Amino acid sequence: MNNSKMNRVAKNLDILANVAGKITAAAGILCIIIAVLTLIFGGKMFSDGAVTLDLDFVKFHLNNNADINEQFLKYYVFAATLGGGIICFLVYYISRLLRSILSPMKAERPFEAGTPECLKKVGWAILIGGFLSELVGILARALLIKAYSLGDLFSSAAIEKTEFVFTMQFDFVLIACAVFLLSYIFTYGQVLQQDADETL
């Protein structure tokens, strides 16, 4: 039984979760450092260089005539990097929870006590991270509009009106619901395993 498929898969997933956790923790620290440096140095960090504006699949290379508000640009970089850092730490937290879930699976006991609670924590972390990611995205886009004066930048005789539409994706809610459902399944499995242990 030591060489069972569950044991091998759990060990491989544990290695992946460990590596992903370390990478996201390092990325989170880097994002926080950049956010703090942006607040301290402000426009000095992104001045005197080529200015580009990247909008999905279109990249605009701007010249000196572009009216760029460095204060809003600073807030944009700060919000984006700080939000990214917080999300990285949430992913790191989820990776730690996943390793706690995988630990008994490596011993071929998937329904150990504590696994359902860890799954619920994963679900809540996904919900919090998803909402935070969407809110930071909206805030960053709003600051980007102010920083580059997009309404003026795209003023043209061919454009009658510029309209900015902010949307939120809620796919993460479905993922969180699936994880919560999985936690209830593991709770039921835990009861069955406990009954089996008592019978033995």
Side-chain angles (χ1 to χ4, degrees):
M1 290 292 289
N2 290 332
N3 295 321
S4 70
K5 188 175 180 180
M6 178 189 292
N7 183 282
R8 292 196 305 272
V9 171
K11 283 183 177 178
N12 290 334
L13 289 176
D14 183 63
I15 292 170
L16 286 174
N18 186 29
V19 172
K22 288 178 179 177
I23 291 172
T24 52
I29 292 170
L30 183 62
C31 285
I32 299 298
I33 291 171
I34 292 172
V36 172
L37 289 176
T38 301
L39 276 185
I40 295 171
F41 296 107
K44 294 177 183 177
M45 291 189 64
F46 30 77
S47 62
D48 301 328
V51 179
T52 60
L53 175 61
D54 198 348
L55 301 177
D56 197 8
F57 67 96
V58 182
K59 180 176 282 189
F60 299 94
H61 297 268
L62 307 180
N63 56 33
N64 293 331
N65 294 323
D67 183 21
I68 300 172
N69 189 317
E70 289 190 359
Q71 193 71 9
F72 279 109
L73 187 59
K74 178 179 79 171
Y75 294 148
Y76 163 72
V77 174
F78 173 75
T81 52
L82 182 64
I86 293 171
I87 291 166
C88 282
F89 285 121
L90 273 172
V91 174
Y92 169 72
Y93 174 67
I94 290 173
S95 73
R96 294 287 300 272
L97 291 173
L98 289 177
R99 294 196 73 196
S100 299
I101 294 167
L102 291 167
S103 181
M105 286 186 179
K106 291 191 291 186
E108 298 175 16
R109 294 182 61 85
F111 300 113
E112 282 289 288
T115 298
E117 283 303 313
C118 282
L119 282 168
K120 287 178 184 176
K121 289 177 182 178
V122 170
W124 282 113
I126 291 171
L127 276 179
I128 293 169
F131 276 115
L132 182 62
S133 176
E134 293 298 319
L135 289 175
V136 168
I138 289 175
L139 175 62
R141 288 192 289 272
L143 290 170
L144 195 65
I145 291 169
K146 293 287 188 181
Y148 285 95
S149 303
L150 293 185
D152 297 331
L153 189 63
F154 295 117
S155 60
S156 167
I159 299 175
E160 182 178 336
K161 185 172 89 171
T162 303
E163 186 176 352
F164 302 104
V165 180
F166 299 104
T167 59
M168 293 182 70
Q169 302 293 328
F170 290 98
D171 299 346
F172 63 91
V173 176
L174 294 176
I175 297 171
C177 288
V179 173
F180 285 130
L181 178 62
L182 197 59
S183 73
Y184 291 116
I185 294 171
F186 269 77
T187 301
Y188 182 67
Q190 183 182 337
V191 173
L192 292 179
Q193 181 169 296
Q194 186 176 355
D195 290 342
D197 291 342
E198 289 173 356
T199 302
L200 293 173

